[in-house]
């Protein structure tokens, strides 16, 4: 099978997928796909799961087995091994952690089952799997940092960061990308950075701890997903700390879920950097190309942007409007 190794937007291959919706295995049977999903920790993850369920349907020629691994790395490895035992035609993995995949990927390779890594990245060599489709968390972090620099226009920043799940490539990338920008600004200080595990409860718990330790010392809070931002907002509300365009604290989030963008439109979140959960059509395009013996993109980045509150103009983000919110697919 030839591979075309090219980092590109997912729109082209997604369009190809839509043209080949009724793909079937060579014997006319449904193509059996196993998807080891991270869990259900956030609104983003729920949208991503729904996208797969809406795409890999019998009508489109697929039988989908989707396992919610509940953010348990051991359970996810077991799920993949079960897919191998069940002799799935394809295995899709949204990895909970980036490390520790070589052994099970070798098992899939030995069984002759193509593997597509989705959403997040892993540390294994690219030769251990067949394709990767997902987002660029390092670029997302850089976008957040560049927007903040633009918005501050030289002013000082004392920053608190609520990171995502430990070991997740999304958290690692967003941290590295943002920190790379922060390091170029001598008047920026990252006071603290702790994991909120991509959950609302985690975001609230970390923010409550931050408030006790740094009350009156910070003017920027960076949350690595929308659910963490909701929890941070609850904690600041309870402490009487104002945030948003009319408040004392600049609030940055990631994901651009519907509720997250509503808070941007309301001026509660200054900037929300997109992490696009609509990936299943692109993955399906890869599988359809494999089935047809055609070339396919071994690395595909789905399209992403960023949004800022009304009244803010930015080189790095789009100003949020009700029309944009109404037109969002998730």
């Amino acid at each position: 099978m030839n591979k075309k190794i090219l980092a590109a937007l997912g729109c082209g291959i997604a369009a190809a997928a839509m043209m080949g919706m009724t793909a079937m295995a060579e014997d006319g049977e449904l193509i059996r796909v196993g998807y080891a999903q991270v869990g259900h920790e956030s609104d983003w993850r729920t949208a991503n799961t729904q996208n797969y369920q809406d795409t890999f349907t019998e009508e489109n020629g697929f039988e989908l087995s989707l396992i919610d691994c509940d953010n348990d790395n051991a359970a996810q490895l077991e799920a993949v091994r079960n897919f191998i035992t069940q002799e799935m035609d394809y295995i899709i993995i949204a990895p909970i952690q980036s490390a520790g995949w070589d052994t099970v990927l070798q098992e899939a390779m030995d069984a002759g089952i193509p593997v597509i890594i989705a959403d997040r990245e892993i540390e294994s060599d690219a030769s251990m799997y067949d394709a990767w489709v997902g987002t660029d968390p390092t670029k997302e972090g850089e976008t957040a940092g560049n927007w903040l620099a633009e918005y501050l226009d030289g002013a000082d920043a004392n920053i608190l960061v609520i990171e995502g799940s430990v070991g997740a490539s999304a958290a690692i990338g967003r941290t590295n990308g943002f920190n790379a920008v922060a390091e170029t600004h001598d008047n920026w200080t990252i006071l603290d950075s702790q994991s909120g595990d991509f959950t609302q409860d985690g975001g609230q718990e970390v923010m409550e701890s931050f408030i006790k330790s740094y009350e009156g010392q910070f003017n920027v809070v960076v949350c690595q997903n929308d659910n963490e931002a909701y929890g941070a907002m609850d904690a600041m509300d309870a402490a009487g700390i104002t945030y948003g365009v009319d408040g004392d604290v600049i609030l940055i989030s990631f994901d651009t879920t519907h509720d997250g963008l509503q808070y941007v439109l309301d001026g509660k979140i200054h900037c929300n950097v997109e992490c696009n959960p609509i990936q299943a059509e692109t993955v399906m395009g890869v599988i359809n190309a494999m089935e047809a013996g055609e070339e396919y993109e071994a690395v595909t980045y789905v399209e992403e942007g960023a949004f800022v509150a009304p009244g803010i103009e930015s080189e790095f983000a789009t100003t949020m409007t009700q029309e944009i919110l109404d037109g969002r697919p998730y």
Side-chain angles (χ1 to χ4, degrees), residues 22-324:
T22 58
M24 290 277 186
E26 290 182 2
D27 58 5
E29 298 293 326
L30 295 173
I31 299 170
R32 300 171 66 234
V33 175
Y35 182 32
Q37 174 63 290
V38 170
H40 51 274
E41 76 285 355
S42 65
D43 296 345
W44 187 98
R45 189 66 53 188
T46 299
N48 180 252
T49 293
Q50 189 63 55
N51 180 227
Y52 274 88
Q53 291 171 332
D54 291 343
T55 301
F56 285 91
T57 62
E58 290 188 12
E59 180 184 3
N60 291 339
F62 296 92
E63 178 184 324
L64 176 67
S65 177
L66 190 150
I67 304 298
D68 181 333
C69 299
D70 199 23
N71 271 287
D72 185 330
N73 187 64
Q76 189 169 52
L77 291 171
E78 181 180 0
V80 174
R81 288 193 165 99
N82 286 338
F83 290 152
I84 295 170
T85 300
Q86 295 164 22
E87 298 181 342
M88 290 288 177
D89 295 314
Y90 295 88
I91 295 174
I92 306 168
I93 305 169
I96 294 169
Q97 295 184 6
S98 59
W101 284 101
D102 284 359
T103 300
V104 73
L105 289 176
Q106 185 63 56
E107 292 170 11
M109 189 181 301
D110 292 342
I113 302 175
V115 173
I116 299 170
I117 306 299
D119 174 31
R120 299 177 176 179
E121 298 175 351
I122 59 175
E123 295 177 9
S124 300
D125 188 84
S127 64
M128 298 292 292
Y129 51 91
D130 294 83
W132 180 91
V133 173
T135 60
D136 189 342
T138 301
K139 184 178 179 180
E140 293 166 6
E142 291 171 349
T143 296
N146 288 330
W147 172 82
L148 181 61
E150 176 191 58
Y151 187 74
L152 288 171
D153 194 25
D156 295 345
N158 293 300
I159 305 164
L160 294 171
V161 180
I162 304 179
E163 296 182 18
S165 301
V166 175
S169 65
I172 295 169
R174 288 169 192 169
T175 298
N176 291 343
F178 184 83
N179 287 353
V181 177
E183 289 169 1
T184 67
H185 297 274
D186 294 337
N187 61 335
W188 289 18
T189 300
I190 297 179
L191 299 172
D192 209 335
S193 185
Q194 296 181 23
S195 171
D197 209 26
F198 283 136
T199 68
Q200 183 165 341
D201 288 345
Q204 181 171 351
E205 182 178 348
V206 171
M207 194 67 226
E208 288 171 348
S209 175
F210 281 164
I211 290 170
K212 291 178 181 177
S213 299
Y214 303 102
E215 187 170 7
Q217 300 178 45
F218 62 92
N219 64 335
V220 179
V221 173
V222 179
C223 300
Q224 289 189 349
N225 82 337
D226 283 342
N227 288 81
E228 288 180 341
Y230 308 154
M233 292 160 69
D234 289 341
M236 287 190 283
D237 286 339
I241 297 172
T242 60
Y243 53 87
V245 294
D246 295 323
D248 294 327
V249 174
I250 298 169
L251 184 57
I252 298 172
S253 185
F254 294 81
D255 276 1
T256 67
T257 61
H258 183 277
D259 288 351
L261 288 181
Q262 181 65 63
Y263 281 120
V264 174
L265 186 62
D266 295 341
K268 295 293 186 180
I269 294 175
H270 284 77
C271 178
N272 201 327
V273 181
E274 184 174 26
C275 180
N276 189 350
I278 307 303
Q279 303 174 13
E281 292 87 352
T282 304
V283 174
M284 184 172 65
V286 171
I287 292 176
N288 286 346
M290 289 181 179
E291 286 291 305
E294 299 172 350
E295 290 189 347
Y296 59 90
E297 295 174 355
V299 176
T300 306
Y301 290 101
V302 295
E303 189 173 3
E304 299 178 294
F307 300 90
V308 289
I312 300 175
E313 298 293 331
S314 174
E315 174 187 349
F316 304 100
T318 300
T319 303
M320 194 63 202
T321 66
Q322 186 64 54
E323 182 179 6
I324 292 174

